[in-house]
PDB file of all heavy atoms in Angstrom:
ATOM      1  N   ASN X 494     258.119  21.129  24.743  1.00  0.00           N
ATOM      2  CA  ASN X 494     256.863  21.325  25.490  1.00  0.00           C
ATOM      3  C   ASN X 494     256.418  19.947  25.947  1.00  0.00           C
ATOM      4  O   ASN X 494     256.063  19.134  25.124  1.00  0.00           O
ATOM      5  CB  ASN X 494     255.789  21.959  24.544  1.00  0.00           C
ATOM      6  CG  ASN X 494     254.420  22.057  25.218  1.00  0.00           C
ATOM      7  OD1 ASN X 494     254.243  21.737  26.378  1.00  0.00           O
ATOM      8  ND2 ASN X 494     253.409  22.531  24.460  1.00  0.00           N
ATOM      9  N   ARG X 495     256.442  19.708  27.241  1.00  0.00           N
ATOM     10  CA  ARG X 495     256.126  18.381  27.786  1.00  0.00           C
ATOM     11  C   ARG X 495     254.689  18.241  28.170  1.00  0.00           C
ATOM     12  O   ARG X 495     254.321  17.239  28.758  1.00  0.00           O
ATOM     13  CB  ARG X 495     257.056  18.153  28.978  1.00  0.00           C
ATOM     14  CG  ARG X 495     258.513  18.048  28.594  1.00  0.00           C
ATOM     15  CD  ARG X 495     259.401  17.689  29.769  1.00  0.00           C
ATOM     16  NE  ARG X 495     260.739  17.420  29.313  1.00  0.00           N
ATOM     17  CZ  ARG X 495     261.779  17.149  30.147  1.00  0.00           C
ATOM     18  NH1 ARG X 495     261.591  17.113  31.449  1.00  0.00           N
ATOM     19  NH2 ARG X 495     262.974  16.947  29.645  1.00  0.00           N
ATOM     20  N   GLY X 496     253.858  19.181  27.792  1.00  0.00           N
ATOM     21  CA  GLY X 496     252.458  19.074  28.054  1.00  0.00           C
ATOM     22  C   GLY X 496     252.095  19.623  29.470  1.00  0.00           C
ATOM     23  O   GLY X 496     252.983  19.802  30.329  1.00  0.00           O
ATOM     24  N   ASN X 497     250.884  19.933  29.677  1.00  0.00           N
ATOM     25  CA  ASN X 497     250.334  20.440  30.982  1.00  0.00           C
ATOM     26  C   ASN X 497     251.122  21.686  31.416  1.00  0.00           C
ATOM     27  O   ASN X 497     251.313  21.919  32.636  1.00  0.00           O
ATOM     28  CB  ASN X 497     250.488  19.332  32.063  1.00  0.00           C
ATOM     29  CG  ASN X 497     249.591  18.146  31.761  1.00  0.00           C
ATOM     30  OD1 ASN X 497     248.408  18.327  31.365  1.00  0.00           O
ATOM     31  ND2 ASN X 497     250.111  16.974  31.932  1.00  0.00           N
ATOM     32  N   GLY X 498     251.559  22.489  30.461  1.00  0.00           N
ATOM     33  CA  GLY X 498     252.234  23.726  30.769  1.00  0.00           C
ATOM     34  C   GLY X 498     253.722  23.632  31.176  1.00  0.00           C
ATOM     35  O   GLY X 498     254.276  24.606  31.625  1.00  0.00           O
ATOM     36  N   VAL X 499     254.312  22.420  31.014  1.00  0.00           N
ATOM     37  CA  VAL X 499     255.698  22.231  31.394  1.00  0.00           C
ATOM     38  C   VAL X 499     256.635  22.382  30.203  1.00  0.00           C
ATOM     39  O   VAL X 499     256.479  21.728  29.197  1.00  0.00           O
ATOM     40  CB  VAL X 499     255.900  20.805  31.985  1.00  0.00           C
ATOM     41  CG1 VAL X 499     257.373  20.558  32.362  1.00  0.00           C
ATOM     42  CG2 VAL X 499     255.039  20.617  33.230  1.00  0.00           C
ATOM     43  N   HIS X 500     257.571  23.339  30.295  1.00  0.00           N
ATOM     44  CA  HIS X 500     258.591  23.545  29.314  1.00  0.00           C
ATOM     45  C   HIS X 500     259.923  23.065  29.792  1.00  0.00           C
ATOM     46  O   HIS X 500     260.141  23.029  31.024  1.00  0.00           O
ATOM     47  CB  HIS X 500     258.712  25.024  28.977  1.00  0.00           C
ATOM     48  CG  HIS X 500     257.597  25.512  28.102  1.00  0.00           C
ATOM     49  ND1 HIS X 500     257.493  26.847  27.720  1.00  0.00           N
ATOM     50  CD2 HIS X 500     256.548  24.865  27.464  1.00  0.00           C
ATOM     51  CE1 HIS X 500     256.434  27.019  26.883  1.00  0.00           C
ATOM     52  NE2 HIS X 500     255.859  25.809  26.771  1.00  0.00           N
ATOM     53  N   ALA X 501     260.831  22.654  28.896  1.00  0.00           N
ATOM     54  CA  ALA X 501     262.146  22.151  29.308  1.00  0.00           C
ATOM     55  C   ALA X 501     263.196  22.353  28.266  1.00  0.00           C
ATOM     56  O   ALA X 501     262.830  22.556  27.023  1.00  0.00           O
ATOM     57  CB  ALA X 501     262.024  20.670  29.663  1.00  0.00           C
ATOM     58  N   PHE X 502     264.383  22.295  28.628  1.00  0.00           N
ATOM     59  CA  PHE X 502     265.600  22.221  27.753  1.00  0.00           C
ATOM     60  C   PHE X 502     266.078  20.780  27.846  1.00  0.00           C
ATOM     61  O   PHE X 502     266.231  20.223  28.942  1.00  0.00           O
ATOM     62  CB  PHE X 502     266.701  23.181  28.092  1.00  0.00           C
ATOM     63  CG  PHE X 502     266.264  24.629  28.166  1.00  0.00           C
ATOM     64  CD1 PHE X 502     266.381  25.410  29.294  1.00  0.00           C
ATOM     65  CD2 PHE X 502     265.707  25.228  27.041  1.00  0.00           C
ATOM     66  CE1 PHE X 502     266.001  26.672  29.313  1.00  0.00           C
ATOM     67  CE2 PHE X 502     265.370  26.598  27.015  1.00  0.00           C
ATOM     68  CZ  PHE X 502     265.470  27.293  28.211  1.00  0.00           C
ATOM     69  N   ASN X 503     266.359  20.115  26.698  1.00  0.00           N
ATOM     70  CA  ASN X 503     266.799  18.728  26.699  1.00  0.00           C
ATOM     71  C   ASN X 503     268.105  18.635  25.950  1.00  0.00           C
ATOM     72  O   ASN X 503     268.273  19.204  24.883  1.00  0.00           O
ATOM     73  CB  ASN X 503     265.693  17.880  25.998  1.00  0.00           C
ATOM     74  CG  ASN X 503     265.958  16.404  26.252  1.00  0.00           C
ATOM     75  OD1 ASN X 503     266.616  16.014  27.169  1.00  0.00           O
ATOM     76  ND2 ASN X 503     265.401  15.571  25.361  1.00  0.00           N
ATOM     77  N   TYR X 504     269.034  17.839  26.491  1.00  0.00           N
ATOM     78  CA  TYR X 504     270.424  17.722  25.952  1.00  0.00           C
ATOM     79  C   TYR X 504     270.865  16.288  26.158  1.00  0.00           C
ATOM     80  O   TYR X 504     270.889  15.794  27.293  1.00  0.00           O
ATOM     81  CB  TYR X 504     271.308  18.704  26.656  1.00  0.00           C
ATOM     82  CG  TYR X 504     272.778  18.577  26.435  1.00  0.00           C
ATOM     83  CD1 TYR X 504     273.294  18.433  25.163  1.00  0.00           C
ATOM     84  CD2 TYR X 504     273.659  18.638  27.527  1.00  0.00           C
ATOM     85  CE1 TYR X 504     274.713  18.322  24.961  1.00  0.00           C
ATOM     86  CE2 TYR X 504     275.019  18.550  27.339  1.00  0.00           C
ATOM     87  CZ  TYR X 504     275.548  18.403  26.058  1.00  0.00           C
ATOM     88  OH  TYR X 504     276.898  18.333  25.862  1.00  0.00           O
ATOM     89  N   SER X 505     271.197  15.571  25.046  1.00  0.00           N
ATOM     90  CA  SER X 505     271.592  14.180  25.170  1.00  0.00           C
ATOM     91  C   SER X 505     272.711  13.849  24.174  1.00  0.00           C
ATOM     92  O   SER X 505     272.834  14.499  23.114  1.00  0.00           O
ATOM     93  CB  SER X 505     270.403  13.243  24.768  1.00  0.00           C
ATOM     94  OG  SER X 505     269.298  13.448  25.689  1.00  0.00           O
ATOM     95  N   ILE X 506     273.540  12.879  24.548  1.00  0.00           N
ATOM     96  CA  ILE X 506     274.588  12.376  23.697  1.00  0.00           C
ATOM     97  C   ILE X 506     274.636  10.868  23.763  1.00  0.00           C
ATOM     98  O   ILE X 506     274.689  10.284  24.873  1.00  0.00           O
ATOM     99  CB  ILE X 506     275.952  12.950  23.975  1.00  0.00           C
ATOM    100  CG1 ILE X 506     275.989  14.471  23.836  1.00  0.00           C
ATOM    101  CG2 ILE X 506     277.058  12.345  23.102  1.00  0.00           C
ATOM    102  CD1 ILE X 506     277.288  15.165  24.202  1.00  0.00           C
ATOM    103  N   TRP X 507     274.607  10.219  22.621  1.00  0.00           N
ATOM    104  CA  TRP X 507     274.638   8.734  22.559  1.00  0.00           C
ATOM    105  C   TRP X 507     276.055   8.312  22.800  1.00  0.00           C
ATOM    106  O   TRP X 507     277.055   8.913  22.398  1.00  0.00           O
ATOM    107  CB  TRP X 507     274.171   8.225  21.175  1.00  0.00           C
ATOM    108  CG  TRP X 507     272.652   8.099  21.158  1.00  0.00           C
ATOM    109  CD1 TRP X 507     271.953   6.930  21.204  1.00  0.00           C
ATOM    110  CD2 TRP X 507     271.734   9.123  20.982  1.00  0.00           C
ATOM    111  NE1 TRP X 507     270.630   7.218  21.195  1.00  0.00           N
ATOM    112  CE2 TRP X 507     270.448   8.513  21.055  1.00  0.00           C
ATOM    113  CE3 TRP X 507     271.787  10.515  20.859  1.00  0.00           C
ATOM    114  CZ2 TRP X 507     269.239   9.269  20.932  1.00  0.00           C
ATOM    115  CZ3 TRP X 507     270.582  11.248  20.756  1.00  0.00           C
ATOM    116  CH2 TRP X 507     269.362  10.644  20.787  1.00  0.00           C
ATOM    117  N   LYS X 508     276.189   7.117  23.494  1.00  0.00           N
ATOM    118  CA  LYS X 508     277.429   6.453  23.772  1.00  0.00           C
ATOM    119  C   LYS X 508     278.335   7.293  24.692  1.00  0.00           C
ATOM    120  O   LYS X 508     279.563   7.052  24.768  1.00  0.00           O
ATOM    121  CB  LYS X 508     278.163   6.018  22.525  1.00  0.00           C
ATOM    122  CG  LYS X 508     277.391   5.055  21.685  1.00  0.00           C
ATOM    123  CD  LYS X 508     278.198   4.588  20.463  1.00  0.00           C
ATOM    124  CE  LYS X 508     277.360   3.571  19.635  1.00  0.00           C
ATOM    125  NZ  LYS X 508     278.065   3.149  18.401  1.00  0.00           N
ATOM    126  N   ALA X 509     277.785   8.254  25.376  1.00  0.00           N
ATOM    127  CA  ALA X 509     278.562   9.073  26.354  1.00  0.00           C
ATOM    128  C   ALA X 509     278.889   8.187  27.536  1.00  0.00           C
ATOM    129  O   ALA X 509     278.152   7.277  27.901  1.00  0.00           O
ATOM    130  CB  ALA X 509     277.778  10.257  26.789  1.00  0.00           C
ATOM    131  N   LYS X 510     279.987   8.537  28.203  1.00  0.00           N
ATOM    132  CA  LYS X 510     280.425   7.741  29.401  1.00  0.00           C
ATOM    133  C   LYS X 510     279.719   8.166  30.682  1.00  0.00           C
ATOM    134  O   LYS X 510     279.524   7.318  31.546  1.00  0.00           O
ATOM    135  CB  LYS X 510     281.961   7.966  29.573  1.00  0.00           C
ATOM    136  CG  LYS X 510     282.792   7.365  28.450  1.00  0.00           C
ATOM    137  CD  LYS X 510     284.225   7.775  28.536  1.00  0.00           C
ATOM    138  CE  LYS X 510     284.883   7.382  29.870  1.00  0.00           C
ATOM    139  NZ  LYS X 510     286.297   7.797  29.911  1.00  0.00           N
ATOM    140  N   GLY X 511     279.505   9.428  30.823  1.00  0.00           N
ATOM    141  CA  GLY X 511     278.922   9.937  32.115  1.00  0.00           C
ATOM    142  C   GLY X 511     278.743  11.465  31.960  1.00  0.00           C
ATOM    143  O   GLY X 511     278.648  12.007  30.913  1.00  0.00           O
ATOM    144  N   TRP X 512     278.709  12.092  33.173  1.00  0.00           N
ATOM    145  CA  TRP X 512     278.537  13.524  33.206  1.00  0.00           C
ATOM    146  C   TRP X 512     279.240  14.143  34.419  1.00  0.00           C
ATOM    147  O   TRP X 512     279.525  13.475  35.375  1.00  0.00           O
ATOM    148  CB  TRP X 512     277.029  13.914  33.205  1.00  0.00           C
ATOM    149  CG  TRP X 512     276.307  13.391  34.413  1.00  0.00           C
ATOM    150  CD1 TRP X 512     276.068  14.093  35.624  1.00  0.00           C
ATOM    151  CD2 TRP X 512     275.705  12.127  34.625  1.00  0.00           C
ATOM    152  NE1 TRP X 512     275.349  13.312  36.495  1.00  0.00           N
ATOM    153  CE2 TRP X 512     275.116  12.099  35.897  1.00  0.00           C
ATOM    154  CE3 TRP X 512     275.551  11.006  33.827  1.00  0.00           C
ATOM    155  CZ2 TRP X 512     274.436  11.008  36.403  1.00  0.00           C
ATOM    156  CZ3 TRP X 512     274.899   9.855  34.290  1.00  0.00           C
ATOM    157  CH2 TRP X 512     274.336   9.917  35.579  1.00  0.00           C
ATOM    158  N   LYS X 513     279.525  15.421  34.247  1.00  0.00           N
ATOM    159  CA  LYS X 513     280.267  16.141  35.338  1.00  0.00           C
ATOM    160  C   LYS X 513     279.327  17.155  36.024  1.00  0.00           C
ATOM    161  O   LYS X 513     279.606  17.664  37.117  1.00  0.00           O
ATOM    162  CB  LYS X 513     281.437  16.845  34.794  1.00  0.00           C
ATOM    163  CG  LYS X 513     282.487  15.915  34.203  1.00  0.00           C
ATOM    164  CD  LYS X 513     283.088  15.035  35.272  1.00  0.00           C
ATOM    165  CE  LYS X 513     284.202  14.137  34.717  1.00  0.00           C
ATOM    166  NZ  LYS X 513     284.754  13.193  35.776  1.00  0.00           N
ATOM    167  N   GLU X 514     278.263  17.567  35.368  1.00  0.00           N
ATOM    168  CA  GLU X 514     277.364  18.574  35.913  1.00  0.00           C
ATOM    169  C   GLU X 514     276.025  18.509  35.251  1.00  0.00           C
ATOM    170  O   GLU X 514     275.876  18.196  34.080  1.00  0.00           O
ATOM    171  CB  GLU X 514     277.960  19.990  35.655  1.00  0.00           C
ATOM    172  CG  GLU X 514     277.161  21.143  36.203  1.00  0.00           C
ATOM    173  CD  GLU X 514     277.769  22.518  35.917  1.00  0.00           C
ATOM    174  OE1 GLU X 514     278.994  22.597  35.882  1.00  0.00           O
ATOM    175  OE2 GLU X 514     277.004  23.472  35.743  1.00  0.00           O
ATOM    176  N   GLY X 515     274.968  18.765  36.073  1.00  0.00           N
ATOM    177  CA  GLY X 515     273.624  18.879  35.555  1.00  0.00           C
ATOM    178  C   GLY X 515     272.696  17.767  36.115  1.00  0.00           C
ATOM    179  O   GLY X 515     273.121  16.808  36.741  1.00  0.00           O
ATOM    180  N   ASN X 516     271.409  17.948  35.785  1.00  0.00           N
ATOM    181  CA  ASN X 516     270.395  16.956  36.073  1.00  0.00           C
ATOM    182  C   ASN X 516     270.433  15.900  34.955  1.00  0.00           C
ATOM    183  O   ASN X 516     269.723  15.963  33.983  1.00  0.00           O
ATOM    184  CB  ASN X 516     269.043  17.637  36.180  1.00  0.00           C
ATOM    185  CG  ASN X 516     267.918  16.642  36.457  1.00  0.00           C
ATOM    186  OD1 ASN X 516     268.067  15.742  37.266  1.00  0.00           O
ATOM    187  ND2 ASN X 516     266.781  16.828  35.786  1.00  0.00           N
ATOM    188  N   CYS X 517     271.281  14.894  35.151  1.00  0.00           N
ATOM    189  CA  CYS X 517     271.615  13.973  34.064  1.00  0.00           C
ATOM    190  C   CYS X 517     271.416  12.530  34.508  1.00  0.00           C
ATOM    191  O   CYS X 517     271.327  12.254  35.690  1.00  0.00           O
ATOM    192  CB  CYS X 517     273.055  14.152  33.602  1.00  0.00           C
ATOM    193  SG  CYS X 517     273.494  15.867  33.117  1.00  0.00           S
ATOM    194  N   ARG X 518     271.339  11.640  33.532  1.00  0.00           N
ATOM    195  CA  ARG X 518     271.136  10.250  33.783  1.00  0.00           C
ATOM    196  C   ARG X 518     271.537   9.446  32.590  1.00  0.00           C
ATOM    197  O   ARG X 518     271.557   9.975  31.468  1.00  0.00           O
ATOM    198  CB  ARG X 518     269.683   9.900  34.173  1.00  0.00           C
ATOM    199  CG  ARG X 518     268.698  10.146  33.026  1.00  0.00           C
ATOM    200  CD  ARG X 518     267.287  10.456  33.502  1.00  0.00           C
ATOM    201  NE  ARG X 518     267.257  11.772  34.121  1.00  0.00           N
ATOM    202  CZ  ARG X 518     267.084  12.931  33.449  1.00  0.00           C
ATOM    203  NH1 ARG X 518     266.973  12.926  32.147  1.00  0.00           N
ATOM    204  NH2 ARG X 518     267.047  14.065  34.083  1.00  0.00           N
ATOM    205  N   HIS X 519     271.840   8.140  32.783  1.00  0.00           N
ATOM    206  CA  HIS X 519     272.070   7.261  31.633  1.00  0.00           C
ATOM    207  C   HIS X 519     270.694   6.866  31.081  1.00  0.00           C
ATOM    208  O   HIS X 519     269.666   6.745  31.761  1.00  0.00           O
ATOM    209  CB  HIS X 519     272.791   6.019  32.079  1.00  0.00           C
ATOM    210  CG  HIS X 519     274.237   6.263  32.415  1.00  0.00           C
ATOM    211  ND1 HIS X 519     275.180   6.454  31.469  1.00  0.00           N
ATOM    212  CD2 HIS X 519     274.915   6.384  33.606  1.00  0.00           C
ATOM    213  CE1 HIS X 519     276.393   6.652  32.028  1.00  0.00           C
ATOM    214  NE2 HIS X 519     276.199   6.572  33.358  1.00  0.00           N
ATOM    215  N   PHE X 520     270.672   6.645  29.726  1.00  0.00           N
ATOM    216  CA  PHE X 520     269.450   6.172  29.127  1.00  0.00           C
ATOM    217  C   PHE X 520     269.827   4.930  28.292  1.00  0.00           C
ATOM    218  O   PHE X 520     270.980   4.756  27.836  1.00  0.00           O
ATOM    219  CB  PHE X 520     268.753   7.194  28.244  1.00  0.00           C
ATOM    220  CG  PHE X 520     269.513   7.617  26.991  1.00  0.00           C
ATOM    221  CD1 PHE X 520     269.522   6.857  25.834  1.00  0.00           C
ATOM    222  CD2 PHE X 520     270.255   8.787  27.048  1.00  0.00           C
ATOM    223  CE1 PHE X 520     270.172   7.363  24.700  1.00  0.00           C
ATOM    224  CE2 PHE X 520     270.964   9.252  25.923  1.00  0.00           C
ATOM    225  CZ  PHE X 520     270.919   8.491  24.765  1.00  0.00           C
TER     226      PHE X 520
END
Side-chain angles (χ1 to χ4, degrees):
N494 175 2
R495 294 183 171 178
N497 297 316
V499 178
H500 283 177
F502 302 122
N503 193 23
Y504 169 47
S505 301
I506 298 179
W507 274 258
K508 297 183 181 177
K510 294 169 58 177
W512 63 93
K513 296 297 184 181
E514 181 181 327
N516 178 40
C517 306
R518 68 206 67 87
H519 289 284
F520 66 83

